[in-house]
């Protein structure tokens, strides 16, 4: 459905979501905002949580 259309889109999509399943299905980079700074994590939400906790 909507997620499939976004997967097929060749441009850049910036989205904010609380839905981890949605993020895992679509994201290939997560930007973490903490203490007024951003840090990129490459991969989906699961990758982000693994990298951030190391």
């Amino acid at each position: 459905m909507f997620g499939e259309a976004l997967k097929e889109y060749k441009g850049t999509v910036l989205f904010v979501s609380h839905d981890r399943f949605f993020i895992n299905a679509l994201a290939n980079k997560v930007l973490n905002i903490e203490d007024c700074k951003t840090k990129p994590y490459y991969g989906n939400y699961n990758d982000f949580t693994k990298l951030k906790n190391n």
Side-chain angles (χ1 to χ4, degrees):
M1 285 172 60
F2 183 68
E4 292 302 317
L6 288 174
K7 282 183 185 179
E8 293 175 16
Y9 181 66
K10 299 297 181 198
T12 300
V13 176
L14 174 67
F15 63 90
V16 177
S17 177
H18 67 278
D19 186 335
R20 294 177 184 179
F21 296 106
F22 182 77
I23 299 168
N24 278 332
L26 295 175
N28 59 21
K29 184 194 307 186
V30 174
L31 287 175
N32 184 49
I33 303 170
E34 192 172 319
D35 297 327
C36 298
K37 297 176 186 169
T38 60
K39 182 175 180 183
Y41 291 87
Y42 294 91
N44 62 21
Y45 185 81
N46 288 341
D47 298 325
F48 158 72
T49 57
K50 287 177 193 171
L51 291 169
K52 186 168 187 222
N53 290 327
N54 287 332

